[in-house]
Amino acid sequence: MTELGTPSRRERLVQAALRVMERDGLAATSTRAIAREAGVSSAAVQREFGGFGPLASDVVEHLVAAEGDAALWALITTENDVVAIVREALRSYLHLVQQRPGAEQTLLEVTLLGLRRADLDGLPERQYERYLEVMRELLAIVARRADIRWDVEADQLARFALALTDGVTLAWLVDRDDAAAERTLELAAETIAAHARSRQTV
Amino acid sequence: MTELGTPSRRERLVQAALRVMERDGLAATSTRAIAREAGVSSAAVQREFGGFGPLASDVVEHLVAAEGDAALWALITTENDVVAIVREALRSYLHLVQQRPGAEQTLLEVTLLGLRRADLDGLPERQYERYLEVMRELLAIVARRADIRWDVEADQLARFALALTDGVTLAWLVDRDDAAAERTLELAAETIAAHARSRQTV
DNA sequence: GTCTATAGACGGATAGAC
DNA sequence: GTCTATCCGTCTATAGAC
């Protein structure tokens, strides 16, 4: 989680970078723009991070961690029915996207850019592995709370759920159709919940 | 479909742009790079398209049309079982991604950039509407061939399928895990097929 | 350590010769 | 119409003053 107290200079630069990326997009985010946003010289950014790649890495780690936290917090619900829990988790993820569309779009932009640029190598892979980790954890929590087990491998269901959330995110970023996104996630929740089996049976 | 015969100068520039985007990514695709690839001066590109935006639009229209064609062709199968038809369609889409990863990544890059840049305004929306159109058409063809109807609205199922293919594409571009992508699409096929109902019953 | 200044490369776009 | 040459902006990165 984010520490309180006076943020370090490095943290302030990461926050500034994040604001620029959310607002203007990754393509328009230069070390100069970040320096302007943070109110320091571009040389200071160079000195602190040594290049754009390491800075972007830090921003992504920050965003992915925040997203994972948000997803886990979303599971604090009073529901006990499998489909209700999953539905609520997916809806609260959509809520996050709707509240910070720029952040979600930035994560997608970084993924795609990281696949092209050698100096961001490994970043998309780490990002994606972390997403899957969070998904597997979420599914495990749901299973525990609803006292069920999943009838497919956890990793497979996690990948399925991740593909759906990524796809819905992309669609919503394009058309901003709240109702359509909710309907898709409702279908997703029903599908995932259909793979729940009572824990006692075999 | 692509016309045969000597391609026009405009078509040759679009093809050159496509090659650069696939190979180097959208972020590294400049009008100068396209001009180099096509063997003309950068002024010629300016004259032909009047800027980067219109050129990118043409490239996307071309790619999306090709993708729609490929998806529809994929439905020429001997299968009659719903889940088998859907599985085969999804697999042949994955095959397309695997054969031309740069092209699929370019489409995603254009979508995200189009959401940020005013001179590409409307491009992601048109792109996405076309995807949905193709998906609805595919679902209708499956329903006709297997002699079934869908128990949810066609648009909703199309959005669900599109979210899944987008999500799987993104995942595969990152981890290149063929087996995992196939397993996810198998789950997707089963889910979609589960919404088939016999045409006679109500 | 922090700044200003600048090097060096690349980008979009245009002017003007042919 | 097509080219070369060029304007002017932006970028990353660094040199050197303080």
Coordinates of all heavy atoms in Angstrom, one line a residue, chain A residues 74-75 83-97 135 138 161-162 164-165 168 181-182 184-192:
Chain A
A74 N -12.6 -5.3 -3.0 CA -13.9 -5.4 -3.5 C -14.6 -6.7 -3.0 O -15.8 -6.8 -3.0 CB -13.9 -5.4 -5.0
L75 N -13.8 -7.6 -2.5 CA -14.5 -8.9 -2.1 C -15.0 -8.8 -0.7 O -15.5 -9.8 -0.2 CB -13.4 -10.0 -2.2 CG -13.3 -10.6 -3.6 CD1 -12.7 -12.0 -3.5 CD2 -14.7 -10.8 -4.2
V83 N -22.7 -16.7 -7.5 CA -22.9 -15.8 -8.7 C -22.9 -14.3 -8.1 O -22.5 -13.4 -8.8 CB -24.1 -16.1 -9.5 CG1 -25.4 -15.9 -8.7 CG2 -24.1 -15.4 -10.8
A84 N -23.5 -14.1 -7.0 CA -23.6 -12.8 -6.4 C -22.2 -12.2 -6.1 O -22.0 -11.0 -6.3 CB -24.5 -12.8 -5.2
I85 N -21.4 -13.0 -5.5 CA -20.0 -12.6 -5.1 C -19.3 -12.2 -6.4 O -18.6 -11.2 -6.5 CB -19.3 -13.7 -4.3 CG1 -20.0 -14.0 -3.1 CG2 -17.9 -13.1 -4.0 CD1 -19.3 -15.2 -2.3
V86 N -19.3 -13.1 -7.4 CA -18.5 -12.9 -8.6 C -19.1 -11.6 -9.3 O -18.3 -10.8 -9.8 CB -18.6 -14.1 -9.5 CG1 -17.9 -13.8 -10.8 CG2 -18.0 -15.3 -8.8
R87 N -20.4 -11.5 -9.4 CA -21.0 -10.4 -10.0 C -20.5 -9.1 -9.4 O -20.1 -8.1 -10.0 CB -22.5 -10.5 -9.9 CG -23.2 -9.3 -10.6 CD -24.7 -9.3 -10.3 NE -25.4 -10.5 -10.8 CZ -26.1 -11.3 -10.0 NH1 -26.2 -11.1 -8.7 NH2 -26.7 -12.4 -10.6
E88 N -20.5 -9.1 -8.0 CA -20.1 -7.9 -7.3 C -18.7 -7.6 -7.5 O -18.3 -6.4 -7.7 CB -20.4 -8.1 -5.8 CG -20.4 -6.8 -5.1 CD -21.2 -6.8 -3.8 OE1 -22.2 -7.5 -3.8 OE2 -20.7 -6.2 -2.8
A89 N -17.8 -8.6 -7.6 CA -16.4 -8.3 -7.8 C -16.2 -7.7 -9.2 O -15.4 -6.8 -9.4 CB -15.6 -9.6 -7.7
L90 N -16.9 -8.3 -10.2 CA -16.7 -7.8 -11.6 C -17.2 -6.4 -11.7 O -16.7 -5.5 -12.3 CB -17.4 -8.7 -12.5 CG -16.8 -10.1 -12.7 CD1 -17.6 -11.0 -13.6 CD2 -15.3 -10.0 -13.2
R91 N -18.4 -6.1 -11.0 CA -19.0 -4.8 -11.1 C -18.1 -3.8 -10.4 O -17.9 -2.7 -10.9 CB -20.3 -4.8 -10.4 CG -21.5 -5.2 -11.3 CD -22.7 -5.3 -10.5 NE -23.9 -5.5 -11.4 CZ -24.7 -4.6 -11.8 NH1 -24.4 -3.3 -11.4 NH2 -25.7 -4.8 -12.6
S92 N -17.4 -4.2 -9.3 CA -16.6 -3.2 -8.7 C -15.3 -3.0 -9.5 O -14.7 -1.9 -9.4 CB -16.3 -3.6 -7.2 OG -15.3 -4.6 -7.2
Y93 N -14.9 -4.0 -10.3 CA -13.8 -3.7 -11.2 C -14.2 -2.7 -12.3 O -13.5 -1.8 -12.6 CB -13.3 -5.0 -11.8 CG -12.4 -4.8 -13.0 CD1 -11.0 -4.4 -12.7 CD2 -12.8 -4.8 -14.3 CE1 -10.2 -4.1 -13.8 CE2 -11.9 -4.6 -15.3 CZ -10.6 -4.2 -15.1 OH -9.8 -3.9 -16.1
L94 N -15.4 -2.9 -12.8 CA -15.9 -2.0 -13.8 C -16.0 -0.6 -13.3 O -15.7 0.4 -13.9 CB -17.3 -2.5 -14.3 CG -18.0 -1.5 -15.4 CD1 -17.1 -1.4 -16.6 CD2 -19.4 -2.0 -15.7
H95 N -16.4 -0.5 -12.0 CA -16.5 0.8 -11.3 C -15.1 1.5 -11.3 O -15.0 2.7 -11.6 CB -17.0 0.6 -9.9 CG -17.7 1.8 -9.3 ND1 -18.8 2.3 -9.9 CD2 -17.4 2.5 -8.3 CE1 -19.2 3.4 -9.2 NE2 -18.3 3.5 -8.2
L96 N -14.1 0.7 -11.0 CA -12.8 1.2 -11.0 C -12.4 1.8 -12.4 O -11.8 2.8 -12.5 CB -11.8 0.1 -10.6 CG -10.3 0.4 -10.5 CD1 -10.1 1.3 -9.3 CD2 -9.5 -0.8 -10.4
V97 N -12.7 1.0 -13.4 CA -12.4 1.4 -14.8 C -13.1 2.7 -15.1 O -12.6 3.7 -15.7 CB -12.8 0.4 -15.8 CG1 -12.6 0.9 -17.2 CG2 -12.0 -0.9 -15.6
M135 N -6.1 -12.7 -9.9 CA -7.3 -13.4 -10.3 C -7.4 -14.8 -9.6 O -8.5 -15.2 -9.1 CB -7.3 -13.7 -11.8 CG -7.9 -12.6 -12.7 SD -9.7 -12.3 -12.3 CE -10.0 -10.9 -13.4
L138 N -8.4 -14.2 -6.1 CA -9.8 -13.8 -6.0 C -10.7 -15.1 -6.1 O -11.6 -15.2 -5.3 CB -10.2 -12.8 -7.1 CG -9.7 -11.4 -6.9 CD1 -10.0 -10.6 -8.2 CD2 -10.4 -10.7 -5.8
A161 N -11.3 -15.5 -16.8 CA -11.9 -14.2 -16.2 C -11.0 -13.0 -16.6 O -11.6 -11.9 -16.9 CB -11.9 -14.4 -14.7
L162 N -9.7 -13.2 -16.7 CA -8.9 -12.1 -17.1 C -9.1 -11.6 -18.5 O -9.2 -10.4 -18.8 CB -7.4 -12.5 -16.9 CG -6.4 -11.4 -17.2 CD1 -6.7 -10.1 -16.4 CD2 -5.0 -11.9 -16.9
L164 N -11.9 -11.8 -20.1 CA -13.2 -11.1 -20.1 C -13.0 -9.7 -19.5 O -13.6 -8.8 -20.1 CB -14.2 -11.9 -19.3 CG -14.9 -13.0 -20.1 CD1 -15.7 -14.0 -19.2 CD2 -15.9 -12.3 -21.1
T165 N -12.3 -9.6 -18.4 CA -12.2 -8.2 -17.9 C -11.4 -7.3 -18.8 O -11.7 -6.2 -19.0 CB -11.6 -8.2 -16.5 OG1 -10.4 -9.0 -16.5 CG2 -12.5 -8.8 -15.4
V168 N -13.7 -6.5 -21.7 CA -14.8 -5.5 -21.4 C -14.2 -4.1 -21.1 O -14.8 -3.1 -21.5 CB -15.5 -6.0 -20.1 CG1 -16.4 -4.9 -19.5 CG2 -16.3 -7.3 -20.4
A181 N -21.6 -3.0 -20.9 CA -20.5 -3.6 -20.1 C -21.1 -4.4 -18.9 O -20.6 -5.5 -18.6 CB -19.6 -2.5 -19.6
E182 N -22.1 -3.8 -18.3 CA -22.7 -4.6 -17.2 C -23.3 -5.9 -17.6 O -23.2 -6.9 -16.9 CB -23.7 -3.7 -16.4 CG -23.1 -2.7 -15.5 CD -24.1 -1.6 -15.0 OE1 -25.3 -1.9 -15.0 OE2 -23.6 -0.5 -14.6
T184 N -22.5 -7.7 -20.2 CA -21.4 -8.6 -20.5 C -20.8 -9.2 -19.2 O -20.6 -10.4 -19.2 CB -20.3 -7.9 -21.3 OG1 -20.8 -7.3 -22.5 CG2 -19.2 -9.0 -21.8
L185 N -20.6 -8.4 -18.2 CA -20.1 -8.9 -17.0 C -21.1 -9.8 -16.3 O -20.7 -10.7 -15.5 CB -19.6 -7.7 -16.1 CG -18.4 -7.0 -16.6 CD1 -18.0 -5.9 -15.6 CD2 -17.2 -8.0 -16.8
E186 N -22.4 -9.5 -16.5 CA -23.4 -10.4 -15.9 C -23.3 -11.8 -16.5 O -23.3 -12.8 -15.8 CB -24.8 -9.8 -16.1 CG -25.9 -10.7 -15.7 CD -25.9 -11.1 -14.2 OE1 -25.4 -10.2 -13.4 OE2 -26.4 -12.2 -13.8
L187 N -23.1 -11.8 -17.8 CA -22.9 -13.1 -18.5 C -21.7 -13.8 -18.0 O -21.6 -15.0 -17.8 CB -22.8 -12.9 -20.0 CG -24.0 -13.2 -20.9 CD1 -23.7 -13.0 -22.4 CD2 -24.4 -14.7 -20.7
A188 N -20.6 -13.0 -17.8 CA -19.4 -13.5 -17.3 C -19.5 -14.1 -15.9 O -19.0 -15.2 -15.6 CB -18.3 -12.4 -17.3
A189 N -20.2 -13.4 -15.1 CA -20.4 -13.9 -13.7 C -21.2 -15.2 -13.7 O -20.8 -16.2 -13.0 CB -21.2 -12.8 -12.9
E190 N -22.2 -15.3 -14.5 CA -23.0 -16.5 -14.6 C -22.1 -17.7 -15.1 O -22.2 -18.8 -14.6 CB -24.2 -16.3 -15.5 CG -25.3 -15.4 -14.9 CD -26.3 -15.0 -16.0 OE1 -26.3 -15.6 -17.1 OE2 -27.1 -14.1 -15.7
T191 N -21.3 -17.4 -16.1 CA -20.4 -18.4 -16.6 C -19.5 -18.9 -15.6 O -19.3 -20.1 -15.4 CB -19.7 -17.9 -17.8 OG1 -20.6 -17.4 -18.8 CG2 -18.8 -19.0 -18.4
I192 N -18.8 -18.0 -14.9 CA -17.8 -18.4 -13.9 C -18.5 -19.2 -12.8 O -18.0 -20.2 -12.4 CB -17.1 -17.1 -13.4 CG1 -16.2 -16.5 -14.5 CG2 -16.2 -17.5 -12.2 CD1 -15.7 -15.2 -14.1

